[in-house]
Amino acid sequence: MSVFIDKDTRLIVQGITGRDGSFHAKQMMEYGTQVVAGVTPGKGGQKFEGSVPVFNTVEEAVKETGANTSVIYVPPPFAADAMMEAAAAGVQFVVCITEGVPVIDMLKVRPYVIERGARLLGPNCPGAITPGQSKVGIIPGRICTPGNVGVVSRSGTLTYEVVNHLTKAGLGQSTCVGIGGDPINGTGFIDVLQAFENDPDTKVVAMMGEIGGTDEQDAAAFIKEKMTKPVVGFIAGQTAPPGRRMGHAGAIISGSSGTAAEKIDAFKAAGMGVAQRPIDFVELVRERLS
Amino acid sequence: MSVFIDKDTRLIVQGITGRDGSFHAKQMMEYGTQVVAGVTPGKGGQKFEGSVPVFNTVEEAVKETGANTSVIYVPPPFAADAMMEAAAAGVQFVVCITEGVPVIDMLKVRPYVIERGARLLGPNCPGAITPGQSKVGIIPGRICTPGNVGVVSRSGTLTYEVVNHLTKAGLGQSTCVGIGGDPINGTGFIDVLQAFENDPDTKVVAMMGEIGGTDEQDAAAFIKEKMTKPVVGFIAGQTAPPGRRMGHAGAIISGSSGTAAEKIDAFKAAGMGVAQRPIDFVELVRERLS
Amino acid sequence: MNIHEYQAKDVLRRYGVPIPPGEVATTPDEAEAIARRVGKPVMVKAQVHVGGRGKAGGVKFCPTPEAAREKATAILGMDIKGLTVEKVLVTEAADIGTEAYVGIIVDRATKKAVFMVSAAGGIDIEEVAATTPEKIKYFPVDPRFGLLPFEAQQLGFFLYQDAKQARAAGKIMQQLYTAFVENGCSLAEINPLVVTPAGEVIAVDAKMVIDDNELERRKDLEALRDESSEAPSEVDARNANLTFIKLDGNVGCIVNGAGLAMATMDLVKFYGGEPANFLDIGGSSNPEKVVNALRIITADENVKAILFNIFGGITRTDDVANGIVTATKQNPLKVPIVIRLTGTNEEIAVKILSDNGFTALTDMDEAVKKAVQLATEGGK
Amino acid sequence: MNIHEYQAKDVLRRYGVPIPPGEVATTPDEAEAIARRVGKPVMVKAQVHVGGRGKAGGVKFCPTPEAAREKATAILGMDIKGLTVEKVLVTEAADIGTEAYVGIIVDRATKKAVFMVSAAGGIDIEEVAATTPEKIKYFPVDPRFGLLPFEAQQLGFFLYQDAKQARAAGKIMQQLYTAFVENGCSLAEINPLVVTPAGEVIAVDAKMVIDDNELERRKDLEALRDESSEAPSEVDARNANLTFIKLDGNVGCIVNGAGLAMATMDLVKFYGGEPANFLDIGGSSNPEKVVNALRIITADENVKAILFNIFGGITRTDDVANGIVTATKQNPLKVPIVIRLTGTNEEIAVKILSDNGFTALTDMDEAVKKAVQLATEGGK
């Protein structure tokens, strides 16, 4: 078991002939992900790497290959359209890696995707990986190993850092999910926490948050009320100055809400373990696994 | 029993201080309808006819009076907004009498109202009446009498003509519903037929259609497949020339679909009684009631 | 309301749709001057609100400005299906590779704006629909999101294999959709949508029908109305807020409500007569409307009897009675009149009428029978 | 991206929002001339991207053009919270009856654009939110339908009892919403929204923040950027596609990814150091970015040690290694450097670095501890 993706994931890569799309399509194929189709309008009929059929539209790709998941590597101005196209074609899990999607576009994408019953991860996220089964996105497969730790994070490389520590310590992962830090996205902490709670293979959850907003506080409330499984949390940005945007849309503190201290307090109030440093996850998770 | 409205209907009149709104509000009150509120922005705090409180917004009117139904008499450019306001405020049955609502507006009103779980009747319709209980709209109360005939029609005065015949012949009505002839409206034949099928007090249905579109054919298919109660039908426009718009948006024949002959054939194929003249309803309905 | 091809093209150009240059002319001189400005072979196209212009000789290719003058001379003033050509569009003659059809209508069945596209363009889409329906793709647009780029592109790929052409067509469809919505259309179409031998996608003919209900709030659209291309009696009726359609019979009908008006016409036929018109005085009570209705009806020399059929609901029958009295005093009738009215203020109406020498009936069948009988007698 | 009040007002005027006339001036002469054109008493308002201008003396009432010159002379060149005033807005001084607040933000919690309106305007809305939250009405807008007229009017009635004023405010809110959406804003506000003694509703101050992600496709909005009102090092970083924020410490940090960058700064602090900056080189691999990052970091004289922390995923660590080698060849470093890298192409990167005399670490904690130690030693 796992969440969102597994060995039965049949993946479409939107933007497969682009620079990022082709690089990561190969990486995902090497990892063992079933990449069943690519989409690039105008390149329909070609084969990617000699084996993966390329289509003009997601609709065709789904019809011909029975794909159930899609990952998007298209430039920001076209990303919103790509997400909606995937949802309209009946794709159940849509992962958008693209960074820099205008937030005004996302205001409409979110209800569109939800209405069509699809789950959207991202945009501006590293995707998800179920070690040993399937990788959808850009999380380096090498640093992961199968196990029982569910990982969910708002950032990319910080996730890798933590996962790397866990793997080195022999603490494998059920699924790692990067939700991205954009203000309007498809999947939030609570969605992933709920999925981990329901997943028999997840025994403990590692969660990496950031300053800005109240998503972590809301997640803490959810953990306290609804979760039986232990969760260990971390907040990046304790030294960040207030009122400044720290590199992605998520990381901004304004006023009294969204500070690291406030979020850590919420974690503690929910009875969560709190990691001070990324490496602290190792001990905190280990304690809760045994 | 009845459909859509009954003695528990608590009605808001939107546009109650206008020319048509005030006239018909009085008529409805005289008929015995519980008119619990009026809405005219800027006239909040006034009393209509010394007793009905007027509010600035439908939201307030619902909150203060527990209204569950609304009828709209506002000029065409504001009608779409009025329908959405009623649905947003939690009104369950919204009746729009206004004629001349731009069809482009209705394209958005329809999904808006449906999403909010409200039923819309109209626009450009005469409303509904459950004889002896409640009248919402402009159908003359005088010509109706309680009974077991459900009446549904795309037009206004033609409905009166038929109802008048029925009443004179002693054939009372459960509810009379005018759905209006606009291309995009809230409630169609099938919705009303389903409601009559479910209503224990309705024994037979009288249905008046018009040339144009395929609503009557679709209704005939529904009657054949889903209805146990007998339905008598009529189509206006047998002598109308093709390709011309006959006075309201509904009544246009184009190409091979939408002619009176085609609709009458569909009625016959569904085993329905077919009235050649309005007065024929009397005998056809009477046969099916006994 | 129909607008002319040249007007529809002006609208669509504002939304970015690629359309060959052209201007409208009302004289051969103008036509020649436009052709000269275009500087290439042109088409001269009759601007009338009726289909089948081409077959009627209203569309001609002109290799030179002189030819444009000559063809414009022939087409201006031509009668096409009863309408006189007052204007021609003089427009660059496009090189035509393939012809496709792209249209949007407000669809009663899906309750949405629906795209219809077909690679079999250039002819009547209804013919395609009847004979080879598989060649048409229907696509209902979600009004909350509009026509999304990927949807437009999918429609483009239905028309063209070539990605560049599919994208160009998709872009045109998005522009057409925006124009459709922003101008309150009930129909907008490009037929043919042409791919030139050079691979460009352009709109060679365009049609737009504006929803009549839009005109009240959009005076800029109302201004596009060309009354010269409509029957004068219908223009007159519209200006009096009446809906009127002239037919060939001899029983003039004045009714309130479209459904009842059609049922009345049907009943005229049922009892052996022929209706002379459809006329709906609408819902609101206004004696002036009755006066205008009588004026329009009696202008038709075929009318041998006049039938009023009024079921008063929102319409007050006393207003109608007053209108009849006023109108007949101004212009005494030369044909018999049958008045049926019932409903709101019926007693007052009956009194007004009988005080002025009219008889009022209350039964529709009786009134229709009598009107048919009078018309038949009068026609002898 | 913040834009100035005068720019936001120009945008909102295009959407029909009633705003008193005014123009921007960069010299006292211009200010006087504008005041003369306005022909009424004016306000002279410093245009800087910082709150609290008024308290800092950057907003002055001027009854005459001469006063406008005088106040402009005082305000231009003034330092407000570290920013120099380069421009002033000279605008008609409105008669103020009541002051309300109207704003829209993109809200992370509801995932919608949310209106915030309050009759308690004129001051910082965050203060109102903190002290009297019941005075603010929040209204999330359904993005599929936009702000509907009745919704806008309801918000208007929350501000004003008077129907005319409520309607006027509602109309302004619809205009503000359209401007917000069409210009890709993350925030748009009018504060105060004023009712004049004559009963007119007008916008007296306005603020807009454009989503940075919008700028790539909207060069017209990018053109509104005023680099003179930003720290030069941050302008430099942005032009190099880096996200950089200067802080006061002595450990210069170069990291890939915002989350890891913040975690690195936190770890510097944890081990007793102080980060000199936030710097995210982003996801894509490009040696040029590393060169620019080093140039920007080393321009800060406080920096006593440089810490690279790269976890290669999409970023290829060999690209980073090449960047470090290139940059340090061009401009030899004057402070020690600690390089931690792991992930994609790690072996190649380590070889490149060791071939060029650098040592690469793979453990983050170890690297941070070493950098803090070197900075502390260097700082002595």
Side-chain angles (χ1 to χ4, degrees):
Chain A
M1 287 292 291
S2 57
V3 309
F4 305 152
I5 55 169
D6 58 25
K7 60 184 170 17
D8 297 325
T9 293
R10 295 176 62 77
L11 185 69
I12 294 169
V13 178
Q14 290 177 253
I16 197 166
T17 58
R19 189 179 165 281
D20 290 345
S22 59
F23 177 79
H24 288 287
K26 276 181 237 169
Q27 298 263 314
M28 289 186 282
M29 288 163 76
E30 281 167 22
Y31 192 75
T33 305
Q34 292 187 60
V35 176
V36 297
V39 171
T40 300
K43 306 222 167 153
Q46 298 185 3
K47 294 269 185 194
F48 176 76
E49 292 286 292
S51 67
V52 180
V54 178
F55 298 90
N56 285 327
T57 69
V58 180
E59 192 181 42
E60 282 176 274
V62 169
K63 208 170 287 174
E64 298 296 324
T65 67
N68 54 20
T69 302
S70 180
V71 62
I72 294 167
Y73 302 90
V74 306
F78 310 108
D81 196 49
M83 291 180 248
M84 294 193 281
E85 181 177 2
V91 172
Q92 291 150 37
F93 186 46
V94 181
V95 180
C96 184
I97 307 302
T98 308
E99 182 180 347
V101 180
V103 69
I104 287 291
D105 291 2
M106 288 309 301
L107 286 173
K108 284 203 173 176
V109 169
R110 195 178 142 86
Y112 186 93
V113 169
I114 289 172
E115 281 181 20
R116 277 147 192 86
R119 168 172 298 289
L120 172 67
L121 183 65
N124 189 16
C125 79
I129 185 167
T130 292
Q133 297 192 46
S134 187
K135 157 182 158 151
V136 174
I138 63 173
I139 298 176
R142 231 176 347 91
I143 61 172
C144 304
T145 194
N148 305 112
V149 185
V151 177
V152 57
S153 171
R154 221 159 103 175
S155 67
T157 48
L158 174 59
T159 317
Y160 311 162
E161 185 72 34
V162 173
V163 171
N164 199 35
H165 282 308
L166 292 173
T167 295
K168 281 186 176 165
L171 300 165
Q173 304 88 41
S174 52
T175 303
C176 304
V177 182
I179 61 172
D182 279 7
I184 312 290
N185 57 14
T187 295
F189 280 125
I190 291 173
D191 303 307
V192 184
L193 290 168
Q194 179 69 64
F196 282 139
E197 176 72 10
N198 296 343
D199 171 35
D201 266 8
T202 300
K203 307 281 186 222
V204 55
V205 178
M207 168 179 165
M208 284 124 262
E210 284 177 9
I211 52 170
T214 57
D215 291 359
E216 288 81 1
Q217 295 90 311
D218 298 341
F222 174 84
I223 289 162
K224 191 172 181 184
E225 285 164 35
K226 303 283 174 66
M227 283 189 76
T228 60
K229 296 178 183 178
V231 182
V232 177
F234 174 86
I235 298 293
Q238 300 184 46
T239 51
R244 296 306 303 271
R245 196 176 281 266
M246 293 277 134
H248 62 65
I252 184 167
I253 319 183
S254 61
S256 62
S257 121
T259 64
E262 194 182 336
K263 287 168 191 259
I264 288 169
D265 286 350
F267 283 178
K268 287 181 179 160
M272 293 163 59
V274 178
Q276 280 221 278
R277 302 170 298 168
I279 198 170
D280 294 340
F281 273 103
V282 171
E283 276 317 303
L284 291 164
V285 165
R286 204 196 305 274
E287 285 164 24
R288 284 161 179 78
L289 263 182
S290 54
Chain B
M1 285 291 290
S2 58
V3 310
F4 305 151
I5 57 170
D6 58 24
K7 58 184 171 16
D8 297 325
T9 293
R10 296 176 62 77
L11 186 69
I12 295 170
V13 178
Q14 290 177 253
I16 197 165
T17 59
R19 190 180 165 281
D20 290 345
S22 60
F23 176 79
H24 289 287
K26 276 180 239 170
Q27 298 263 314
M28 289 186 283
M29 290 162 74
E30 280 167 23
Y31 192 75
T33 305
Q34 292 188 60
V35 176
V36 298
V39 171
T40 299
K43 306 223 167 153
Q46 298 185 3
K47 293 269 186 199
F48 175 76
E49 292 286 293
S51 66
V52 179
V54 178
F55 299 91
N56 285 328
T57 68
V58 180
E59 191 180 42
E60 281 176 274
V62 169
K63 208 172 285 172
E64 298 297 324
T65 68
N68 54 19
T69 302
S70 181
V71 62
I72 294 167
Y73 301 88
V74 306
F78 310 109
D81 196 48
M83 290 180 248
M84 294 192 282
E85 180 177 3
V91 172
Q92 291 149 37
F93 186 45
V94 181
V95 181
C96 183
I97 307 301
T98 309
E99 182 182 347
V101 181
V103 69
I104 286 292
D105 292 1
M106 288 308 302
L107 286 173
K108 284 202 173 175
V109 169
R110 196 179 142 86
Y112 186 94
V113 169
I114 289 173
E115 281 181 18
R116 278 146 192 86
R119 166 171 299 290
L120 171 67
L121 183 63
N124 189 17
C125 80
I129 184 166
T130 292
Q133 298 192 43
S134 186
K135 157 181 159 152
V136 174
I138 62 174
I139 298 176
R142 231 175 349 90
I143 61 171
C144 304
T145 194
N148 303 113
V149 184
V151 176
V152 57
S153 171
R154 221 160 103 176
S155 68
T157 47
L158 175 58
T159 317
Y160 312 163
E161 184 71 34
V162 172
V163 170
N164 199 37
H165 283 306
L166 292 173
T167 295
K168 280 186 177 168
L171 300 165
Q173 304 87 40
S174 52
T175 303
C176 305
V177 183
I179 60 173
D182 279 8
I184 313 290
N185 58 13
T187 294
F189 280 124
I190 292 174
D191 303 307
V192 184
L193 290 169
Q194 179 70 64
F196 281 138
E197 175 72 9
N198 297 343
D199 172 35
D201 266 8
T202 300
K203 307 282 185 220
V204 55
V205 178
M207 168 179 167
M208 283 126 261
E210 283 177 11
I211 51 168
T214 57
D215 292 359
E216 289 81 1
Q217 293 91 311
D218 298 342
F222 175 83
I223 288 163
K224 191 174 181 182
E225 285 165 33
K226 304 281 173 66
M227 283 190 74
T228 61
K229 296 179 183 176
V231 182
V232 177
F234 174 84
I235 298 293
Q238 301 184 44
T239 52
R244 296 305 302 273
R245 196 176 281 266
M246 293 276 132
H248 61 63
I252 186 168
I253 320 182
S254 60
S256 62
S257 118
T259 63
E262 193 182 338
K263 288 168 191 255
I264 289 169
D265 286 349
F267 283 179
K268 287 181 180 161
M272 295 165 57
V274 178
Q276 280 218 277
R277 302 171 297 169
I279 199 170
D280 294 340
F281 273 102
V282 170
E283 277 317 303
L284 291 164
V285 165
R286 203 197 304 274
E287 283 164 27
R288 285 160 179 78
L289 263 181
S290 54
Chain C
M1 181 184 80
N2 285 298
I3 63 173
H4 287 301
E5 175 192 2
Y6 79 92
Q7 296 170 316
K9 285 180 165 177
D10 285 348
V11 171
L12 293 179
R13 265 194 204 101
R14 289 204 302 272
Y15 289 86
V17 176
I19 293 171
E23 291 170 60
V24 73
T26 55
T27 66
D29 280 356
E30 284 174 14
E32 183 180 344
I34 295 164
R36 227 171 268 288
R37 277 201 290 279
V38 169
K40 292 185 185 167
V42 297
M43 302 299 291
V44 173
K45 307 173 83 175
Q47 301 293 289
V48 279
H49 292 319
V50 71
R53 299 177 293 182
K55 284 182 194 156
V59 178
K60 294 290 180 189
F61 173 76
C62 310
T64 63
E66 293 72 24
R69 160 185 287 276
E70 186 191 320
K71 299 297 182 189
T73 308
I75 294 171
L76 285 164
M78 180 186 273
D79 180 284
I80 301 183
K81 297 187 185 172
L83 294 170
T84 305
V85 180
E86 310 266 1
K87 293 173 182 166
V88 291
L89 172 61
V90 182
T91 181
E92 185 184 319
D95 288 336
I96 292 175
T98 64
E99 296 186 315
Y101 173 93
V102 173
I104 324 174
I105 50 153
V106 170
D107 178 48
R108 295 183 72 90
T110 55
K111 309 282 181 200
K112 291 200 170 88
V114 172
F115 262 91
M116 296 180 296
V117 305
S118 175
I123 57 162
D124 192 348
I125 195 67
E126 280 163 13
E127 202 177 308
V128 179
T131 56
T132 50
E134 71 283 1
K135 288 190 178 167
I136 304 179
K137 190 178 173 84
Y138 295 88
F139 183 79
V141 180
D142 186 331
R144 304 165 308 162
F145 294 95
L147 183 71
L148 297 166
F150 79 86
E151 295 171 333
Q153 193 171 276
Q154 276 175 11
L155 293 175
F157 275 117
F158 180 77
L159 296 181
Y160 308 120
Q161 297 251 306
D162 180 78
K164 196 167 140 275
Q165 289 167 19
R167 254 192 289 259
K171 198 171 160 199
I172 289 170
M173 286 185 240
Q174 287 194 286
Q175 292 160 338
L176 184 68
Y177 179 78
T178 307
F180 176 89
V181 170
E182 292 190 356
N183 295 285
C185 294
S186 47
L187 178 147
E189 66 181 23
I190 295 172
N191 186 25
L193 182 73
V194 159
V195 178
T196 65
E200 275 179 305
V201 184
I202 59 172
V204 165
D205 198 352
K207 182 177 178 181
M208 295 178 96
V209 180
I210 315 284
D211 173 19
D212 291 333
N213 291 343
E214 195 71 28
L215 302 173
E216 180 65 30
R217 64 181 177 191
R218 287 290 296 276
K219 295 304 164 195
D220 59 325
L221 297 175
E222 174 66 40
L224 297 177
R225 189 187 292 283
D226 180 3
E227 295 192 341
S228 73
S229 61
E230 297 173 276
S233 59
E234 294 181 13
V235 173
D236 189 2
R238 190 183 51 249
N239 292 336
N241 274 315
L242 301 168
T243 314
F244 171 79
I245 294 169
K246 195 182 157 347
L247 302 173
D248 298 329
N250 57 8
V251 180
C253 302
I254 300 176
V255 190
N256 65 323
L260 188 59
M262 288 191 287
T264 305
M265 291 155 67
D266 294 349
L267 212 56
V268 166
K269 182 99 177 176
F270 183 86
Y271 287 117
E274 287 290 341
N277 63 278
F278 169 95
L279 193 154
D280 175 12
I281 62 168
S284 86
S285 302
N286 185 341
E288 191 63 25
K289 277 199 175 183
V290 176
V291 173
N292 283 315
L294 270 172
R295 179 172 50 74
I296 290 161
I297 295 270
T298 52
D300 180 355
E301 297 200 344
N302 290 338
V303 170
K304 301 300 176 202
I306 294 168
L307 169 64
F308 267 86
N309 185 15
I310 304 298
F311 203 117
I314 208 166
T315 306
R316 286 157 50 181
T317 56
D318 54 330
D319 282 344
V320 175
N322 278 323
I324 294 172
V325 170
T326 308
T328 52
K329 274 186 186 151
Q330 285 172 5
N331 298 298
L333 289 175
K334 299 192 184 86
V335 294
I337 184 168
V338 178
I339 304 165
R340 182 267 177 142
L341 41 75
T342 188
T344 312
N345 295 356
E346 180 180 325
E347 297 76 14
I348 309 172
V350 170
K351 181 158 187 340
I352 292 168
L353 289 172
S354 57
D355 286 355
N356 286 276
F358 293 99
T359 314
L361 303 176
T362 55
D363 185 76
M364 177 168 162
D365 289 74
E366 196 186 332
V368 172
K369 273 189 262 186
K370 188 166 172 193
V372 170
Q373 185 199 342
L374 289 169
T376 311
E377 288 165 2
K380 279 174 192 165
Chain D
M1 178 184 83
N2 285 300
I3 64 173
H4 288 300
E5 175 192 3
Y6 79 92
Q7 295 169 316
K9 284 179 165 177
D10 284 348
V11 171
L12 293 180
R13 266 196 204 100
R14 287 205 302 273
Y15 290 86
V17 176
I19 293 171
E23 292 170 59
V24 73
T26 54
T27 66
D29 279 356
E30 284 174 11
E32 184 180 343
I34 295 164
R36 226 171 269 287
R37 275 200 291 280
V38 168
K40 293 185 183 166
V42 297
M43 302 300 291
V44 172
K45 308 174 82 175
Q47 301 293 291
V48 279
H49 292 320
V50 72
R53 299 177 293 181
K55 284 182 193 156
V59 178
K60 294 290 181 193
F61 174 76
C62 311
T64 63
E66 293 72 23
R69 158 185 289 275
E70 184 191 320
K71 298 298 183 189
T73 308
I75 294 171
L76 285 163
M78 179 185 274
D79 179 286
I80 301 182
K81 297 188 184 170
L83 293 171
T84 305
V85 179
E86 309 267 2
K87 293 172 182 163
V88 290
L89 172 62
V90 183
T91 181
E92 185 183 319
D95 289 336
I96 291 176
T98 63
E99 296 187 317
Y101 172 92
V102 172
I104 323 173
I105 50 152
V106 170
D107 178 48
R108 295 183 73 88
T110 55
K111 309 282 183 200
K112 291 200 169 88
V114 172
F115 262 90
M116 296 180 296
V117 305
S118 175
I123 57 163
D124 192 346
I125 193 67
E126 281 163 13
E127 203 177 306
V128 180
T131 56
T132 50
E134 72 283 0
K135 288 190 178 168
I136 305 180
K137 188 177 174 82
Y138 295 88
F139 183 80
V141 180
D142 185 331
R144 303 164 309 161
F145 295 95
L147 183 70
L148 296 166
F150 79 87
E151 295 171 333
Q153 193 172 276
Q154 276 176 11
L155 292 174
F157 274 116
F158 180 77
L159 295 180
Y160 308 120
Q161 296 251 305
D162 180 80
K164 196 168 141 274
Q165 289 167 19
R167 254 192 289 260
K171 197 170 160 199
I172 290 170
M173 287 185 238
Q174 287 195 285
Q175 292 160 337
L176 184 68
Y177 179 78
T178 307
F180 175 88
V181 169
E182 292 190 354
N183 295 285
C185 294
S186 47
L187 179 147
E189 67 182 24
I190 295 172
N191 185 24
L193 182 74
V194 159
V195 178
T196 66
E200 276 180 304
V201 184
I202 58 171
V204 166
D205 198 352
K207 182 177 178 182
M208 295 178 95
V209 180
I210 314 284
D211 173 20
D212 291 333
N213 291 343
E214 194 71 28
L215 302 172
E216 180 64 29
R217 64 179 176 191
R218 286 290 297 273
K219 295 304 163 194
D220 59 324
L221 297 174
E222 174 66 41
L224 297 177
R225 189 186 291 286
D226 180 3
E227 294 193 339
S228 74
S229 61
E230 297 173 275
S233 59
E234 294 181 12
V235 174
D236 189 2
R238 190 184 50 249
N239 291 336
N241 274 315
L242 301 167
T243 313
F244 172 78
I245 294 169
K246 195 182 159 348
L247 302 172
D248 297 329
N250 57 9
V251 180
C253 302
I254 300 176
V255 190
N256 65 323
L260 188 61
M262 288 192 286
T264 304
M265 292 156 65
D266 294 349
L267 211 59
V268 166
K269 183 99 176 178
F270 182 87
Y271 286 118
E274 286 290 344
N277 63 281
F278 168 95
L279 194 153
D280 175 13
I281 61 168
S284 86
S285 302
N286 184 342
E288 190 62 24
K289 276 198 174 182
V290 176
V291 172
N292 284 317
L294 270 171
R295 179 173 51 74
I296 289 162
I297 294 272
T298 52
D300 179 356
E301 297 201 342
N302 289 339
V303 170
K304 301 300 176 200
I306 294 167
L307 169 63
F308 267 86
N309 185 15
I310 304 297
F311 204 117
I314 207 165
T315 306
R316 285 158 50 181
T317 57
D318 54 332
D319 282 343
V320 175
N322 278 324
I324 293 172
V325 171
T326 308
T328 51
K329 273 186 186 153
Q330 285 172 5
N331 298 297
L333 289 174
K334 300 192 182 87
V335 295
I337 183 169
V338 178
I339 303 166
R340 182 269 179 141
L341 42 76
T342 188
T344 312
N345 296 353
E346 179 180 326
E347 297 76 13
I348 308 171
V350 170
K351 182 160 189 332
I352 292 166
L353 289 172
S354 58
D355 285 355
N356 286 277
F358 293 100
T359 312
L361 302 177
T362 56
D363 185 76
M364 177 168 162
D365 288 76
E366 196 185 330
V368 170
K369 272 190 261 188
K370 188 165 172 197
V372 170
Q373 185 198 342
L374 288 169
T376 311
E377 287 166 1
K380 277 173 191 161

